[in-house]
């Protein structure tokens, strides 16, 4: 084979063997590099064959390498050769076998450290899965020598061999592949592999860089890559600065976080400090100056002008005396989290501001009533320190009489999520006083962030006490009414009895006196009249008291018919006074007929009674669409008496002038007011009198009348 100028220039040793017969290899070509590297003349090497210069210990390995080469077509291996100076040199071989040309082409390189130049364990793999490379580090890792491994199937050593051979066939490299490895058929360790494709035209093979994950975790590229990746995922960048030189070294991720182009960065601390938010600059400068461990959140303004939140941590690396030599730190982008935190804090502040000010109390409790949270209003209203009562049962401050109802409400709430269960409770304050609350339980046990039953309540103590007072007053009134009824009974029954006795005995007396003296007779008649008047008075009083005590019996009543009845009852009076009663159309109303009849009767009879001397009474009864009226042409009433005439026993005349008890109008007022109406009078002395009244709420269509009247 002819030499080539390039091969003459090449530093690497090139050799071509030609196969002449079985196991008969002859060197066809050696380039000058052989002489430079091993010191022997080329002729000598050619004449003796390279095998003669091999370290005897490597002979067997070399023989096997050759056999493997013939089998797999390409090979990488190393062995040792003697130099002219007597020492041995490591040679790294790359060989190819061409079956058609019956030649082996090989390149050998002297490796200075007697090792592969690589710092990693390497396995060469052909596309059909045979091992064609196995360096010293691989030998150490597997504890299998090169000559044993070369030419073997990769499947003997690696579990994931198929993935690797497929990748070689497809000519694509693999960055990371983890595969269990075997040594003599036994799984020994996990390897981290990367596959490069060596593609020299006709022969494609793979070069596996192999890391024993457990053993090599500290130093290799894999870790650097892993670190870079994890920094990028966590958005954490690292930096280091030698104390005193004012320079910073950043990790790749820090450039990403701060959006700084590495070419633009001058690595000066001041340049970095300028990027810090004005409001945070002082504190960051301060911690850097101290040259000690620190941890803080601060803002950065990136070159685009946007503000970023970062979490910064740093620590110093000290010399033996404890003097800081370097500061090493990390910067993590926490913008998203921080903005969320700020939004959350705002929401929290908003919620707190409201909860702190509301007058209602709010608690969150578990199913048993154990307090988790209590609103500050508890302290204001009940005096308990809300932090101290957390963990206590609400039952501790509850009125014993409310235990059952609260236990039941709590159980109902547990079984009905999201529904408000109303409660009314008494709670003891720190001074032992009871407070009333109306509120509810809402089961939010399944709501994330709450996970509790929420109890809320508004204090009703004042209202409850007022109600209590009112109830008391009502009781008093009932009692007083009972008294009054008693009194009415006594008045009507017991007091009428002696009057009847007087009347009866007067009659007996009259029978026994043969010739009564006219004066005596007059006296007896006076007594009789007084008795009759007293009887009438008692009768009226009884009517009045009954109007207040007996419950009304309301129904829909046609007033035309009712008042016609009243007028016919008064027929005797009308004739006696030669008077006249005119009835205008009256509505149908919802009232107690007996009582309203009493009102009309009292008013009409007053109209008939208080007529001017020698002027027959004319009484008109009607309804003007808003109010009822009873109008007469009688003596009239002076304005200053208009209100007083509705009081009991209030009369403007003597019994001699006009009979009566002074109770009639008071009874009318009482009845009208019971019907939610009012009554008043319009009159002038000598001009006749009109009494008006309304009937209110008890009569739907008249409700406006009631409001407008008076
Ligand atoms: P009495 O039994 O005296 O009628 P009332 O309560 O009905 O009692 O009336 C109280 C007083 O009002 C009467 O005594 C009278 O002085 C005056 N009064 C009532 N109605 C009229 C009227 N229609 N005309 C003039 N005065 C009246």
């Amino acid at each position: 084979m002819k030499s080539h100028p390039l091969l003459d220039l090449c530093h690497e040793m090139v050799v071509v063997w030609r196969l002449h017969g079985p196991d008969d290899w002859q060197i066809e070509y050696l380039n000058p590099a052989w002489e430079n590297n091993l010191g022997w003349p080329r002729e000598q090497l050619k004449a003796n064959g390279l095998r003669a210069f091999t370290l005897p210990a490597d002979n067997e390995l070399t023989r096997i390498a050759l056999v493997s080469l013939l089998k797999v077509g390409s090979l990488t291996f190393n062995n040792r050769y003697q130099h002219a100076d007597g020492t041995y040199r490591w040679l790294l071989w790359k060989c190819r076998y061409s079956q058609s040309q019956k030649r082996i082409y090989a390149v050998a390189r002297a490796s200075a450290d007697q090792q592969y130049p690589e710092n990693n364990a390497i396995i060469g793999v052909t596309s059909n899965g045979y091992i064609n490379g196995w360096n010293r580090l691989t030998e150490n890792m597997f504890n299998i020598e090169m000559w044993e491994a070369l030419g073997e199937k990769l499947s003997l050593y690696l579990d994931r061999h198929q993935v690797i051979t497929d990748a070689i066939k497809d000519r694509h490299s693999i960055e990371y592949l983890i595969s269990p490895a075997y040594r003599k058929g036994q799984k020994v360790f996990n390897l981290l592999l990367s596959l490069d494709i060596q593609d020299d035209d006709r022969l494609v093979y793979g070069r596996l860089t192999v890391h024993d994950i457990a053993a090599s975790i500290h130093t290799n590229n894999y870790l650097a890559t892993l670190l870079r990746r994890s920094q990028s995922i966590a958005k954490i960048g690292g930096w280091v600065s030698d104390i005193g030189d004012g320079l910073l070294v950043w990790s790749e991720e820090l450039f990403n976080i701060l959006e700084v182009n590495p070419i633009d960065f001058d690595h000066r601390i001041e340049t970095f400090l300028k990027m810090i938010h004005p409001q945070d600059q002082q504190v960051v400068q301060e911690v850097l100056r101290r040259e000690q461990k620190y941890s803080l959140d601060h803002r950065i303004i990136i070159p685009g002008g946007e503000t970023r939140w970062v979490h910064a941590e740093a620590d110093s690396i000290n010399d033996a005396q404890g003097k800081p030599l370097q500061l090493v730190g990390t910067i993590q982008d926490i913008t998203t989290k921080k903005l969320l935190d700020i939004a959350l804090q705002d929401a929290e502040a908003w919620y707190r501001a409201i909860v702190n000010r509301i007058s209602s109390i709010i608690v969150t409790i578990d199913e048993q009533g154990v307090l988790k949270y209590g609103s500050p209003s508890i302290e204001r209203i009940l005096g308990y320190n809300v932090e101290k009562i957390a963990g206590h049962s609400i039952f501790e401050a509850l009125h014993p009489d409310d235990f059952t109802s609260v236990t039941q409400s709590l159980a109902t709430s547990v079984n009905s999520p999201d529904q408000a269960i109303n409660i009314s409770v008494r709670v003891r304050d720190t001074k032992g006083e009871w407070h009333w609350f109306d509120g509810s339980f809402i089961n939010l046990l399944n709501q994330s962030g709450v996970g509790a039953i929420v109890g809320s309540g508004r204090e009703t103590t004042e209202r409850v006490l007022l109600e209590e007072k009112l109830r008391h007053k009502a009781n008093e009134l009932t009692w007083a009414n009972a008294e009054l009824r008693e009194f009415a009974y006594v008045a009507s029954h017991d007091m009428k009895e002696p009057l009847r006795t007087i009347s009866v005995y007067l009659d007996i007396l009259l029978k026994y006196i043969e010739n009564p003296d006219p004066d005596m007779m007059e006296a007896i008649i006076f007594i009789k009249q007084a008795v009759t008047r007293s009887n009438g008075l008692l009768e009226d009083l009884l009517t009045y008291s009954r109007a207040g005590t007996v419950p009304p019996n309301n129904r829909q009543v046609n007033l035309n018919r009712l008042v016609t009845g009243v007028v016919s009852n008064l027929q005797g009076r009308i004739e006696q006074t030669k008077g006249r009663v005119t009835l205008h159309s009256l509505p149908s109303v919802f009232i107690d007929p007996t009582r309203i009849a009493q009102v009309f009767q009292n008013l009409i009879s007053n109209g008939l009674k208080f007529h001017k001397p020698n002027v027959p009474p004319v009484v008109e009864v009607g309804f003007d669409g808003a109010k009822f009226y009873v109008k007469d042409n009688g003596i009239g009433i002076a304005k200053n008496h208009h209100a007083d005439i509705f009081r009991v026993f209030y009369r403007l005349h003597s019994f001699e002038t006009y009979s009566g008890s002074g109770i009639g109008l008071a009874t009318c007022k009482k009845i009208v007011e019971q019907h939610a109406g009012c009554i008043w009078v319009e009159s002038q002395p000598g001009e006749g009198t009109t009494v008006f009244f309304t009937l209110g709420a008890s009569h739907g269509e008249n409700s406006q009348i009631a409001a407008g009247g008076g």
Side-chain angles (χ1 to χ4, degrees):
M1 190 185 141
K2 277 194 182 163
S3 178
H4 189 279
L6 280 177
L7 292 175
D8 292 347
L9 293 172
C10 183
H11 282 291
E12 274 158 343
M13 293 160 268
V14 178
V15 57
V16 180
W17 281 280
R18 196 185 151 88
L19 181 66
H20 292 289
D23 212 18
D24 180 10
W25 292 95
Q26 297 254 313
I27 293 175
E28 197 175 61
Y29 172 74
L30 284 169
N31 73 345
W34 285 97
E35 291 180 7
N36 303 336
N37 278 294
L38 291 180
W40 305 105
R42 270 189 284 174
E43 290 69 35
Q44 200 175 340
L45 290 169
K46 239 183 187 169
N48 296 330
L50 290 181
R51 212 180 286 182
F53 297 87
T54 318
L55 178 74
D58 291 349
N59 271 343
E60 178 62 6
L61 154 83
T62 311
R63 191 186 64 78
I64 289 175
L66 208 62
V67 173
S68 306
L69 175 66
L70 298 186
K71 193 158 116 193
V72 302
S74 76
L75 195 68
T76 307
F77 73 101
N78 51 5
N79 59 4
R80 283 161 287 186
Y81 282 83
Q82 197 177 30
H83 191 271
D85 65 11
T87 60
Y88 283 88
R89 303 288 163 90
W90 280 100
L91 292 193
L92 169 66
W93 286 94
K94 274 179 126 181
C95 315
R96 253 177 68 185
Y97 168 56
S98 166
Q99 202 173 7
S100 58
Q101 294 176 18
K102 298 260 187 274
R103 281 188 174 89
I104 292 172
Y105 301 91
V107 177
R109 189 159 36 139
S111 86
D113 57 354
Q114 302 186 342
Q115 298 277 339
Y116 258 96
E118 291 88 358
N119 294 320
N120 297 316
I122 306 279
I123 300 173
V125 189
T126 64
S127 59
N128 49 0
Y130 284 98
I131 295 170
N132 71 349
W134 189 269
N135 73 357
R136 217 139 277 271
L137 283 176
T138 318
E139 282 188 336
N140 295 342
M141 189 182 284
F142 282 82
N143 200 19
I144 286 171
E145 289 186 41
M146 186 199 320
W147 58 268
E148 214 178 314
L150 289 177
E152 293 287 1
K153 279 274 191 189
L154 183 65
S155 55
L156 269 180
Y157 298 100
L158 288 181
D159 191 41
R160 310 283 309 273
H161 59 93
Q162 194 62 48
V163 179
I164 295 164
T165 42
D166 286 351
I168 297 169
K169 277 179 198 146
D170 294 349
R171 302 187 189 204
H172 71 73
S173 55
I174 298 172
E175 207 171 345
Y176 298 108
L177 179 73
I178 290 178
S179 172
Y182 304 102
R183 191 191 290 144
K184 304 206 164 87
Q186 272 190 314
K187 186 187 159 187
V188 280
F189 39 52
N190 283 317
L191 293 180
L192 181 87
L193 309 159
S194 60
L195 174 72
D196 291 325
I197 303 298
Q198 310 282 311
D199 184 353
D200 40 8
D201 259 359
R202 291 163 52 207
L203 205 94
V204 178
Y205 68 97
R207 193 167 169 281
L208 281 171
T209 308
V210 182
H211 304 282
D212 175 349
I213 298 177
S216 63
I217 206 126
H218 297 297
T219 51
N220 54 39
N221 290 339
Y222 146 69
L223 203 70
T225 315
L226 195 66
L227 194 68
R228 200 168 57 237
R229 283 280 168 96
S230 38
Q231 285 199 350
S232 153
I233 291 165
K235 292 189 177 174
I236 292 184
W239 57 268
V240 60
S241 167
D242 285 345
I243 302 287
D245 72 356
L247 290 178
L248 271 175
V249 178
W250 282 0
S251 77
E252 191 183 319
E253 186 54 26
L254 199 48
F255 286 105
N256 293 338
I257 293 171
L258 304 178
E259 290 194 9
V260 170
N261 188 336
I263 299 163
D264 299 339
F265 187 53
D266 63 5
H267 293 273
R268 304 207 60 80
I269 290 181
E270 294 96 88
T271 313
F272 168 66
L273 283 174
K274 275 188 205 135
M275 296 182 67
I276 290 166
H277 192 282
Q279 283 172 17
D280 298 338
Q281 256 179 27
Q282 207 182 339
V283 56
V284 175
Q285 271 178 17
E286 176 65 24
V287 292
L288 283 173
R289 203 181 47 72
R290 271 190 280 154
E291 294 167 355
Q292 279 170 6
K293 193 180 170 81
Y294 70 77
S295 166
L296 75 129
D297 291 353
H298 66 81
R299 284 158 293 178
I300 294 260
I301 297 174
I302 60 167
E306 195 185 305
T307 302
R308 295 255 161 100
W309 273 98
V310 295
H311 174 70
E313 296 251 1
D315 202 355
S316 61
I317 294 174
N318 304 336
D319 67 9
Q321 281 72 46
K323 185 172 171 282
L325 298 172
Q326 281 186 318
L327 267 183
V328 182
T330 58
I331 285 181
Q332 183 175 21
D333 185 350
I334 53 162
T335 311
T336 318
K337 184 180 163 291
K338 196 78 184 180
L339 293 180
L340 265 176
D341 280 356
I342 290 169
L344 215 68
Q345 274 165 18
D346 284 353
E348 171 92 4
W350 176 83
Y351 151 81
R352 287 232 171 266
I354 291 173
V355 167
N356 286 354
R357 280 163 187 78
I358 52 167
S359 54
S360 300
I361 66 169
I362 295 173
V363 294
T364 63
I365 52 175
D366 67 9
E367 292 96 322
Q368 274 76 44
V370 173
L371 197 83
K372 294 175 161 188
Y373 164 83
S375 61
S377 47
I378 292 179
E379 193 150 356
R380 284 200 302 273
I381 299 171
L382 301 170
Y384 295 106
N385 180 320
V386 284
E387 268 140 44
K388 287 196 185 136
I389 55 172
H392 286 258
S393 168
I394 54 166
F395 287 95
E396 288 175 33
L398 214 60
H399 196 288
D401 292 353
D402 295 339
F403 278 14
T404 317
S405 71
V406 172
T407 308
Q408 276 167 3
S409 303
L410 208 54
T412 314
S413 183
V414 168
N415 292 325
S416 36
D418 292 329
Q419 273 178 45
I421 309 298
N422 290 338
I423 46 166
S424 191
V425 291
R426 279 160 289 180
V427 181
R428 196 182 40 235
D429 67 16
T430 45
K431 293 189 201 112
E433 310 253 322
W434 292 105
H435 295 249
W436 276 258
F437 291 94
D438 274 355
S440 60
F441 285 139
I442 299 181
N443 172 351
L444 299 181
L445 285 164
N446 292 329
Q447 186 157 320
S448 72
V450 184
I453 293 171
V454 177
S456 61
R458 205 164 36 80
E459 181 166 20
T460 56
T461 311
E462 240 171 76
R463 198 194 70 204
V464 169
L465 292 180
L466 204 72
E467 279 170 3
E468 189 96 315
K469 238 186 229 170
L470 278 174
R471 229 187 340 268
H472 193 71
K473 270 269 168 334
N475 282 344
E476 271 180 5
L477 270 174
T478 314
W479 181 79
N481 273 340
E483 283 272 278
L484 204 67
R485 258 199 302 276
E486 192 90 339
F487 164 74
Y489 181 78
V490 170
S492 65
H493 188 266
D494 294 12
M495 281 176 72
K496 274 164 96 178
E497 189 52 40
L499 281 177
R500 206 170 15 253
T501 315
I502 295 170
S503 187
V504 169
Y505 278 93
L506 272 177
D507 290 346
I508 295 172
L509 207 63
L510 275 175
K511 257 192 210 163
Y512 281 88
I513 299 167
E514 293 277 313
N515 288 312
D517 179 300
D519 285 349
M520 191 193 214
M521 205 52 209
E522 195 183 19
I524 289 173
I525 286 165
F526 273 145
I527 293 171
K528 269 226 135 189
Q529 277 174 346
V531 167
T532 310
R533 216 169 40 240
S534 289
N535 238 332
L537 200 69
L538 285 174
E539 206 58 62
D540 283 356
L541 208 54
L542 194 61
T543 311
Y544 177 79
S545 72
R546 265 203 209 110
T549 52
V550 180
N553 179 17
N554 286 357
R555 53 181 188 269
Q556 199 64 30
V557 175
N558 181 338
L559 283 183
N560 290 314
R561 207 173 305 150
L562 182 107
V563 181
T564 306
V566 169
V567 174
S568 68
N569 284 344
L570 292 169
Q571 208 48 51
R573 291 275 195 84
I574 296 169
E575 281 165 14
Q576 220 176 9
T577 55
K578 299 192 173 63
R580 181 156 50 85
V581 176
T582 315
L583 266 185
H584 297 288
S585 167
L586 295 172
S588 168
V589 284
F590 190 75
I591 45 136
D592 180 334
T594 317
R595 293 190 186 177
I596 295 299
Q598 183 79 53
V599 171
F600 280 105
Q601 170 160 332
N602 289 0
L603 296 180
I604 295 167
S605 57
N606 275 356
L608 294 171
K609 181 162 69 176
F610 296 104
H611 65 91
K612 293 176 195 160
N614 306 319
V615 179
V618 176
V619 179
E620 249 182 274
V621 180
F623 177 69
D624 67 4
K627 51 195 184 291
F628 299 90
Y629 60 90
V630 178
K631 183 181 163 138
D632 65 46
N633 59 343
I635 57 172
I637 307 162
K639 197 156 177 75
N640 55 327
H641 298 300
H642 284 189
D644 289 335
I645 53 170
F646 292 98
R647 285 166 44 195
V648 189
F649 300 136
Y650 196 90
R651 306 190 77 246
L652 301 176
H653 313 279
S654 67
F655 294 112
E656 286 73 31
T657 335
Y658 292 103
S659 66
S661 60
I663 296 172
L665 285 180
T667 306
C668 290
K669 185 172 173 355
K670 195 176 230 179
I671 294 169
V672 166
E673 283 174 357
Q674 274 173 354
H675 286 76
C678 44
I679 186 164
W680 68 102
V681 67
E682 282 178 12
S683 177
Q684 271 180 17
E687 298 289 316
T689 299
T690 310
V691 179
F692 295 98
F693 68 93
T694 60
L695 295 173
S698 57
H699 168 47
E701 65 192 30
N702 279 354
S703 56
Q704 245 174 326
I705 305 166

